Amino acid sequence: AKKYGFRLCFTINRSGEYDFGARGYSVAEGYYPRVDPEGNAHGRHKRGHFARHLSFNSPAVDEQLLPVDVAAVEKYHPAQIWIESTVITVNYCYCSACQKLFMERCGHEPPVSDEDPLLSKWIDFHRDSFVDWMRRLAQRVHDADPKVAVTFNHAYWLNQPETPPPFIKNLSAYIH
C-alpha cells in the first residue's frame, strides 16, 4: 500500500465481533451475552439469524478482544482503525458482569421495570458502559501507536445526537 501511496485502514466490524451467537463465544471464557432480567438473549435479527449481542462489560472484551486490535495496530501501524456498528441506543443488559458493576457503582440491584426510580441510573450506566468501552479501545490503540486515527462509525450521529466525549476525534457514517 505504501509503495502506491495508499494508507492502510483496518475495519473492525463490531456487529460481527460482538455477535455472541455467530462466534460461538463461551461464558466460561468471559464472554457474556446481553440478556434481559429473565436471562433471555438480547440482540436483533440480522441476515437470517438472531444476533445475540456481547456485553461491553464482559471480561473477555479487555482480556481477549482489545488485545487483538492492539496487536494488529502494533504489527501494521495503519493510518486508521475504523470501528463499524458503534451506534447505540440504550440496550439494557442483565448479565452477571453488568449487574455486578451496577451494584459496585450505584449500590443497588438493577431495576427490572420502567417504573423503577433507578431506571435513569440504569440507562446512564449502560450509556457510560458503551462510552467506557470506546475510551478503552481508543486509549489502547493510541498507546500502541498515537498516529492511528480511531474512527467510530455511526456513533454520535442522527440516532445518537449527543456531544461526543473529548477522546473522540474521528467519526463517520453512511449517508443512505
Side-chain angles (χ1 to χ4, degrees):
K2 286 182 184 179
K3 178 179 175 182
Y4 298 103
F6 295 111
R7 298 180 66 192
L8 186 62
C9 174
F10 283 160
T11 299
I12 298 173
N13 189 336
R14 291 292 172 218
S15 64
E17 185 171 288
Y18 283 66
D19 180 348
F20 184 90
R23 297 286 179 172
Y25 291 144
S26 164
V27 173
E29 295 173 350
Y31 294 92
Y32 301 149
R34 247 187 340 223
V35 295
D36 65 18
E38 289 80 39
N40 300 311
H42 269 309
R44 61 187 168 143
H45 289 281
K46 175 177 94 171
R47 294 185 212 106
H49 78 284
F50 182 68
R52 297 186 304 162
H53 297 161
L54 183 65
S55 168
F56 289 111
N57 293 318
S58 292
V61 170
D62 288 298
E63 296 167 4
Q64 298 180 43
L65 297 180
L66 294 183
V68 170
D69 302 340
V70 170
V73 168
E74 290 174 338
K75 182 173 182 178
Y76 298 104
H77 299 280
Q80 172 177 251
I81 187 166
W82 189 76
I83 315 300
E84 169 67 308
S85 298
T86 52
V87 66
I88 188 169
T89 55
V90 175
N91 296 301
Y92 307 144
C93 177
Y94 292 85
C95 75
S96 59
C98 287
Q99 289 188 53
K100 180 182 178 204
L101 197 54
F102 185 77
M103 282 287 295
E104 289 171 2
R105 291 182 183 172
C106 300
H108 301 282
E109 295 284 332
V112 293
S113 79
D114 289 345
E115 290 78 35
D116 193 306
L118 290 174
L119 185 62
S120 64
K121 284 187 179 190
W122 187 232
I123 291 170
D124 290 344
F125 165 79
H126 285 288
R127 299 297 286 201
D128 293 346
S129 292
F130 177 70
V131 171
D132 187 49
W133 163 76
M134 293 170 68
R135 182 182 295 108
R136 293 187 327 262
L137 188 149
Q139 185 61 52
R140 291 188 63 181
V141 166
H142 287 139
D143 287 348
D145 186 341
K147 292 187 261 177
V148 175
V150 178
T151 302
F152 294 97
N153 193 41
H154 284 286
Y156 304 99
W157 188 241
L158 298 176
N159 293 340
Q160 188 183 353
E162 303 165 13
T163 302
F167 70 89
I168 300 284
K169 304 292 184 206
N170 207 24
L171 297 172
S172 67
Y174 306 128
I175 298 174
H176 297 271

